[in-house]
Amino acid sequence: MSYLFNTPEQQQEMLQTIGIDSLEALFSTIPADLRLDRPLDLPPALSEMELQTHLSQLASQNVGPTSRICMLGGGAYDHFIPAAVDEIARRGEFYTAYTPYQAEASQGSLQTFFEFQSLICQLTGMDVSNASLYEGGTCVSEAAFMAMRVTNRHDRVVLLGSLHPEYRQVVETYLRHLNCEVVIVPCKDGSVDPADVDAAMDDQTACLVIQHPNFFGTLEEAAELTEIAHRYGALSVVSYDPISLGILKRPGDYGADIAIAEGQSLGTPLQFGGPYLGLFSCSEKFVRRMPGRLIGQTVDRNGKLCYVLNLQAREQHIRRDKATSNICSNQGLIAIRAAVYLSLLGKQGIREVAELSCQKAHYAAEQLSSVEGIELLFPERPFFKEFVVSCSEGADYLLRKARQAGFDLGPELSRFTFENCPENYQTGVLVAITEQRTREEIDRLVTVLKA
Amino acid sequence: MRNHLATQPLFDLSQPGRRGAQFPAADVPEKPLEELIPSQALATEPTGLPEVTESDVIRHFVNLSTLNMCVDTHFYPLGSCTMKYNPKRHERLSSLPGIVDLHPYQNQADLQGMLELLYVTQEMLAEIAGLPAVSLQPAAGAQGEFTALLTAKAYFEDKGEKRTKVLFPNSAHGTNPASAAIAGFDCVQLASSKEGLVDLEDLKSHLDDQTAVFMVTNPNTLGLFEKDIRQIAQMVHDVGGLVYIDGANMNAILGYTRPGDFGGDMMHFNVHKTFTGPHGAGGPGSGPIAVRDFLADFLPGPVISHDASAAEGEAYQLVTPAKSIGRVRSFYGNIGILVRGYCYLRTLGAAGLKAVSENAVLNANYLKALLKDVLPVPNGDLCMHEFVASASRSKAANGITAMDIAKRLLDFGFHAPTVYFPLVVPEAIMVEPTETESKETLDAFAETITRILKEDPEFLHQAPHSTEISRPDEVVAARHPILQCCESE
């Protein structure tokens, strides 16, 4: 076995040193009646060559964006990944390193995470960022927990009905057993009415969770909604699309207290939904209530600038059942990808990606809605890079026709349940356009759909 | 020879007008942004991201990477954390087109290969656990714990019971009580016996009809097999409770015994600890859970089902269990890590996995035998895959602490072991060599520890002496946190 180092002769020597006579005897502390009396029933072992053939064969049964044109959205996006991102992330020094508890042995990871935090602060306009959480959905739950600690209100959180339905489901799972009411503000025409939000808030609400751009791609009145949250003494939690901040106002610019996001767009491949990257930032005054890992700058015993894991007492190690969360890991390697991606793009690049996505999405929306039977479901709402179309022949017809011509659209809204939403939502199909899509592709799709 | 230009703070490398990525011009007719987006939503100035070239970025991060110790370059004897070799084939295979580029909302007919891989992964994990139902959704071991506790809660509620207590030994990972608290349970910590095992009397005194779950790591965090586990499970079952096995130490018992066989009702796997997902300096991990059949309906969804008689393109389906607790994350799980786990299991097979545990336990006991005279191990004659030594004697004799030894080891090119955990051993030094280390490495490590213990204590208090930095001031860092580089002064 190529991963096990000791020869049978060495094993014998080692057993002698230990003072026992067989490998079996090493397991003598496992009572005999608890032992498995047969080999595990697993598929046969494969050599590297055989495994590669096998994986290639499985991969060939899947169809990915290399052979189809991806206009799928709904929280995971086919943005371009510069080669340098993979080059850095594939360095063994990063991906085979341990959590940086021993600062002296981990300055590379620590400085990179510190810079990741700095980049996220610049991107969002927030004061502090942690070194990442699992993914976008769990970030909402962690933000709600944090808002409860900060406001000392534990009974009620309010979510916009335009929040990603899977994020909403995660929050409901996380909060179900804490006697916390989860209130959903209905979404009427692809976004919520601030008056409805105002009606849903009260002075026992811990936070208002806004997604902007929202699940349907449209913009919410994020600044006004933040003001409403503050009027009730609740925290404003904004879930953003990181690419959108190349052109949109940043959550910090309009006073959000906690800014969260799915960071997959920042240099991480789609890989069927994970691992992704939970971005979590907040204003300075809440830093000690923040979940997850934080990297801080300090000096060493010789006065040299260096980086350490900071404020660890908030984690699960020390206060245990009083911990701010049970999170033990971050998404270190994915955070490194995001740091490299944001460094490569810089202030100009992030603007270009955002503008290209926005311009092309609007072109696509215009062209698609020129097809007879297809229209925008929310024609009045401004959007960023994603929009909902409906088809008079039905969502399935539209998806099938596009798919036959090599285009993947979606997800279809009928996959999800949207509480208190109009029935016509069931006919909708999301279309996401990134900077990677070309006019030629969009025109070809339109031609196919017109035929 | 190191040039410090490239490792200076990233933002200091920035020069206006530099760039590291170039995008094509728009190929669609462009409109002024103000026509597309309401002006009150538009940014009034660009973000403060740095402006650097691609070569700046590469040199910066490559140089930073060399400031790390990692498994690819160093021996990492970290107890409880299982830092073993990460096979390179996994990185290549998980990056194949058709694996790395699948969108979670694609048509299921276009995903049959991926769903088959995940289905077989579920089946293999169920067999290794001895527990038939698996959910791959949890993003990390700690989320697996939390998920399983919610699953248990849903099960009890379905039976019309409202149980409030979760019990765990005082040697438990900190995530156990944290997960229980977040799931809405009261936490009860139990004492350990003199031998470092669960104290049956103490357990008995806390068991009652309010006991929901007993969480236990087996082998435990002292590296000892809980030999009374079946009796323990029986005691918990007798009051109607469930037994949760924290799977952090599964690499010690693969093919020898299974949680389902020794009384566990639920468990999580740490794919990075047991099945060589790389640690990634903190993640991503993956924490699939396995449970008994009567808990299957409550698992978070979707899970993958298989119907061999289904039409082409429909054999493998994503389905949500009947009484599911809901979702614990968006999409389906940390698939990229599960693909690595799948590759590992397919590479080793049953005999290979058993050999993993044999070699992990052999290496740990060998290293323990080499060290026991200089660093006493308070609990147990034979350990499993790891052991907990104590530096109490050296601390009392000449002031050499566990931390001093840990820091000095860095000078000799060994990563430090886990220190000060578990909390039940004073001056704990927790060592886990793993099966992928050679006898030569273990000999060299033991010689180095022996040598360090003879060094001048004052010199050791200042260690490490050869690393880029030494003993950062964590007190100042915590008192005046500087958490990003551009903060206003």
Side-chain angles (χ1 to χ4, degrees):
Chain A
M1 183 57 58
S2 44
Y3 311 144
L4 305 175
F5 281 39
N6 294 314
T7 64
E9 294 73 27
Q10 285 180 314
Q11 289 184 341
Q12 282 311 315
E13 272 180 65
M14 294 163 78
L15 288 169
Q16 265 175 22
T17 305
I18 298 166
I20 58 173
D21 52 14
S22 72
L23 286 172
E24 281 284 327
L26 288 169
F27 293 83
S28 60
T29 55
I30 302 178
D33 63 333
L34 301 185
R35 305 258 190 103
L36 190 64
D37 55 5
R38 59 169 177 83
L40 288 167
D41 182 14
L42 297 175
L46 303 176
S47 66
E48 182 170 357
M49 270 169 58
E50 293 167 309
L51 183 67
Q52 177 152 326
T53 305
H54 171 62
L55 259 285
S56 302
Q57 192 263 333
L58 285 175
S60 70
Q61 293 172 45
N62 303 317
V63 185
T66 39
S67 51
R68 303 173 71 86
I69 293 160
C70 179
M71 297 184 180
L72 289 156
Y77 302 98
D78 181 33
H79 284 289
F80 181 72
I81 302 173
V85 176
D86 279 338
E87 194 67 29
I88 298 300
R90 285 193 182 139
R91 287 191 69 87
E93 294 92 333
F94 280 132
Y95 82 81
T96 77
Y98 178 56
T99 305
Y101 292 125
Q102 294 289 337
E104 292 92 339
S106 312
Q107 283 299 299
S109 296
L110 283 163
Q111 187 176 333
T112 303
F113 293 154
F114 181 80
E115 291 174 352
F116 165 83
Q117 293 173 178
S118 307
L119 289 161
I120 297 303
C121 289
Q122 290 304 314
L123 183 70
T124 57
M126 303 299 287
D127 301 326
V128 287
S129 163
N130 71 13
S132 77
L133 299 179
Y134 301 141
E135 46 79 64
T138 47
C139 276
V140 184
S141 300
E142 294 292 339
F145 281 141
M146 179 172 146
M148 292 181 206
R149 294 191 295 270
V150 166
T151 60
N152 201 24
R153 299 174 178 181
H154 297 269
D155 303 328
R156 187 179 162 93
V157 299
V158 177
L159 315 180
L160 298 197
S162 56
L163 180 68
H164 193 309
E166 294 190 4
Y167 293 10
R168 190 195 72 224
Q169 289 173 324
V170 176
V171 176
E172 287 169 345
T173 305
Y174 266 71
L175 298 187
R176 187 167 300 141
H177 299 287
L178 299 183
N179 297 319
C180 178
E181 187 187 4
V182 179
V183 178
I184 316 285
V185 183
C187 175
K188 285 172 185 157
D189 63 343
S191 63
V192 298
D193 184 340
D196 291 342
V197 174
D198 193 76
M201 297 293 291
D202 67 17
D203 61 6
Q204 284 308 304
T205 304
C207 63
L208 172 67
V209 180
I210 302 160
Q211 184 174 333
H212 169 73
N214 66 27
F215 179 69
F216 308 109
T218 71
L219 305 186
E220 297 286 353
E221 301 292 345
E224 188 182 344
L225 295 176
T226 291
E227 272 179 37
I228 293 173
H230 289 166
R231 208 181 304 144
Y232 288 93
L235 299 196
S236 160
V237 176
V238 175
S239 173
Y240 58 93
D241 172 344
I243 298 293
S244 75
L245 300 185
I247 56 173
L248 297 184
K249 276 211 175 77
R250 305 174 301 169
D253 296 337
Y254 51 82
D257 300 293
I258 302 174
I260 53 180
E262 172 51 68
Q264 175 268 330
S265 297
L266 306 177
T268 293
L270 287 163
Q271 47 190 349
F272 200 44
Y276 285 178
L277 176 67
L279 305 179
F280 195 109
S281 53
C282 70
S283 53
E284 178 94 61
K285 55 183 184 258
F286 304 135
V287 62
R288 288 174 196 269
R289 307 297 190 97
M290 197 179 195
R293 202 158 273 159
L294 289 170
I295 311 304
Q297 196 180 65
T298 186
V299 290
D300 77 349
R301 68 181 171 90
N302 302 312
K304 188 171 178 187
L305 189 71
C306 63
Y307 304 91
V308 290
L309 275 172
N310 208 344
L311 306 178
Q312 287 190 64
R314 303 154 319 103
E315 283 196 60
Q316 36 80 21
H317 323 69
I318 296 170
R319 293 191 297 176
R320 298 164 75 98
D321 59 323
K322 300 282 188 288
T324 52
S325 98
N326 71 331
I327 286 179
C328 177
S329 54
N330 66 340
Q331 298 284 291
L333 191 65
I334 315 291
I336 291 171
R337 296 187 76 94
V340 175
Y341 179 87
L342 288 171
S343 306
L344 285 168
L345 264 64
K347 65 169 65 163
Q348 193 56 34
I350 191 85
R351 185 174 176 85
E352 286 174 11
V353 171
E355 278 204 43
L356 284 168
S357 302
C358 186
Q359 294 284 357
K360 292 182 181 197
H362 282 79
Y363 175 77
E366 200 176 283
Q367 297 300 308
L368 283 170
S369 54
S370 75
V371 178
E372 200 183 321
I374 294 179
E375 53 187 27
L376 295 182
L377 195 55
F378 312 120
E380 305 301 320
R381 300 303 308 171
F383 63 92
F384 168 56
K385 71 177 184 200
E386 202 170 5
F387 52 90
V388 182
V389 295
S390 73
C391 174
S392 57
E393 308 265 358
D396 286 349
Y397 171 85
L398 174 63
L399 291 172
R400 196 168 52 243
K401 198 159 179 191
R403 187 160 164 255
Q404 279 164 359
F407 292 87
D408 279 336
L409 314 182
E412 60 276 32
L413 299 190
S414 59
R415 259 180 190 260
F416 311 99
T417 52
F418 299 98
E419 284 173 44
N420 302 325
C421 285
E423 241 169 53
N424 67 346
Y425 277 36
Q426 294 300 309
T427 66
V429 171
L430 270 165
V431 179
I433 304 290
T434 68
E435 77 284 6
Q436 298 220 73
R437 299 289 70 84
T438 63
R439 177 178 183 163
E440 186 274 327
E441 290 167 352
I442 296 165
D443 290 347
R444 187 146 49 88
L445 173 63
V446 168
T447 306
V448 167
L449 294 177
K450 277 183 174 165
Chain B
M1 194 61 75
R2 185 178 298 280
N3 166 336
H4 289 276
L5 208 55
T7 57
Q8 68 179 307
L10 174 70
F11 284 77
D12 293 356
L13 299 169
S14 180
Q15 291 291 338
R18 281 198 184 141
R19 52 187 308 156
Q22 200 101 33
F23 293 91
D27 59 357
V28 299
E30 287 183 272
K31 294 182 174 169
L33 271 185
E34 293 73 19
E35 281 182 28
L36 307 178
I37 307 275
S39 59
Q40 78 267 17
L42 285 173
T44 49
E45 55 184 305
T47 64
L49 294 177
E51 296 171 86
V52 290
T53 62
E54 179 174 322
S55 47
D56 288 333
V57 169
I58 289 293
R59 194 171 283 171
H60 178 70
F61 288 108
V62 169
N63 270 290
L64 284 186
S65 77
T66 65
L67 301 181
N68 274 354
M69 281 186 169
C70 66
V71 172
D72 277 0
T73 55
H74 291 80
F75 175 42
Y76 242 86
L78 273 167
S80 181
C81 295
T82 315
M83 295 292 285
K84 57 185 170 186
Y85 174 67
N86 306 116
K88 301 306 153 193
R89 67 191 66 169
H90 298 180
E91 302 310 308
R92 175 191 283 182
L93 298 178
S94 61
S95 301
L96 289 176
I99 299 283
V100 76
D101 52 6
L102 301 180
H103 192 287
Y105 291 136
Q106 274 182 241
N107 192 303
Q108 285 189 21
D110 290 343
L111 297 167
Q112 290 294 303
M114 173 56 87
L115 294 179
E116 178 182 338
L117 183 156
L118 295 175
Y119 179 79
V120 175
T121 303
Q122 284 179 183
E123 297 280 285
M124 291 192 290
L125 294 180
E127 166 67 4
I128 292 165
L131 295 166
V134 171
S135 171
L136 300 175
Q137 201 170 67
Q143 206 192 22
E145 294 171 18
F146 173 69
T147 304
L149 290 167
L150 290 184
T151 301
K153 200 154 196 167
Y155 161 74
F156 286 121
E157 282 177 6
D158 191 61
K159 291 209 307 177
E161 294 179 31
K162 195 163 170 51
R163 292 176 175 248
T164 56
K165 288 199 303 191
V166 168
L167 280 49
F168 51 87
N170 56 5
S171 60
H173 292 106
T175 51
N176 290 177
S179 297
I182 289 163
F185 287 106
D186 300 330
C187 298
V188 181
Q189 182 165 301
L190 306 179
S192 295
S193 69
K194 283 201 307 290
E195 301 86 50
L197 302 173
V198 172
D199 184 325
L200 296 188
E201 287 308 309
D202 198 38
L203 172 63
K204 198 171 185 178
S205 72
H206 287 97
L207 287 173
D208 56 29
D209 63 0
Q210 287 305 300
T211 303
V213 179
F214 176 56
M215 301 180 85
V216 59
T217 309
N218 192 25
N220 69 21
T221 52
L222 293 169
L224 305 176
F225 192 83
E226 296 281 354
K227 62 182 170 39
D228 302 318
I229 189 70
R230 182 167 277 170
Q231 190 188 344
I232 290 168
Q234 192 58 51
M235 289 162 68
V236 176
H237 291 153
D238 283 346
V239 297
L242 298 174
V243 175
Y244 182 82
I245 305 295
D246 180 324
N249 295 338
M250 280 299 288
N251 60 323
I253 56 173
L254 295 169
Y256 270 89
T257 184
R258 307 188 300 174
D261 296 343
F262 59 66
D265 301 299
M266 315 181 278
M267 70 164 292
H268 78 259
F269 289 96
N270 296 88
V271 176
H272 73 279
K273 290 185 184 184
T274 310
F275 308 123
T276 62
H279 200 286
S286 172
I289 60 171
V291 299
R292 281 204 196 285
D293 49 3
F294 61 84
L295 296 166
D297 278 351
F298 303 95
L299 285 176
V303 297
I304 295 110
S305 71
H306 180 230
D307 175 2
S309 63
E312 197 187 329
E314 294 175 10
Y316 295 96
Q317 297 276 341
L318 291 158
V319 296
T320 301
K323 300 173 183 173
S324 176
I325 58 164
R327 284 185 167 276
V328 293
R329 52 160 291 157
S330 58
F331 312 121
Y332 315 121
N334 279 357
I335 307 299
I337 303 304
L338 291 162
V339 171
R340 289 164 172 86
Y342 176 86
C343 289
Y344 184 69
L345 291 170
R346 293 307 313 269
T347 299
L348 270 74
L353 283 190
K354 198 170 178 192
V356 162
S357 289
E358 286 168 353
N359 282 280
V361 175
L362 175 68
N363 276 0
N365 279 288
Y366 177 68
L367 192 52
K368 177 169 170 275
L370 296 182
L371 285 175
K372 67 177 192 289
D373 293 335
V374 291
L375 277 183
V377 176
N379 298 103
D381 291 333
L382 276 178
C383 63
M384 299 300 288
H385 63 302
E386 64 190 355
F387 60 90
V388 183
S390 169
S392 292
R393 202 168 71 193
S394 73
K395 188 182 179 191
N398 49 18
I400 298 174
T401 64
M403 189 61 82
D404 292 335
I405 298 167
K407 295 294 185 193
R408 180 64 176 143
L409 275 167
L410 304 176
D411 285 329
F412 292 93
F414 294 111
H415 193 277
T418 300
V419 288
Y420 301 122
F421 180 84
L423 311 175
V424 291
V425 174
E427 291 298 314
I429 298 181
M430 192 182 197
V431 182
E432 177 174 6
T434 84
E435 74 279 5
T436 60
E437 295 301 331
S438 66
K439 176 177 179 294
E440 296 90 311
T441 302
L442 306 183
D443 289 339
F445 181 74
E447 275 168 34
T448 304
I449 294 235
T450 308
R451 174 174 164 186
I452 288 172
L453 285 164
K454 292 177 189 152
E455 289 188 319
D456 172 12
E458 281 312 306
F459 181 71
L460 292 180
H461 296 330
Q462 304 294 317
H465 298 278
S466 63
T467 47
E468 284 288 309
I469 63 148
S470 179
R471 304 243 179 173
D473 190 335
E474 299 188 18
V475 176
V476 164
R479 198 169 293 151
H480 306 288
I482 301 174
L483 303 171
Q484 62 139 319
C485 58
C486 306
E487 280 173 319
S488 49
E489 293 299 314

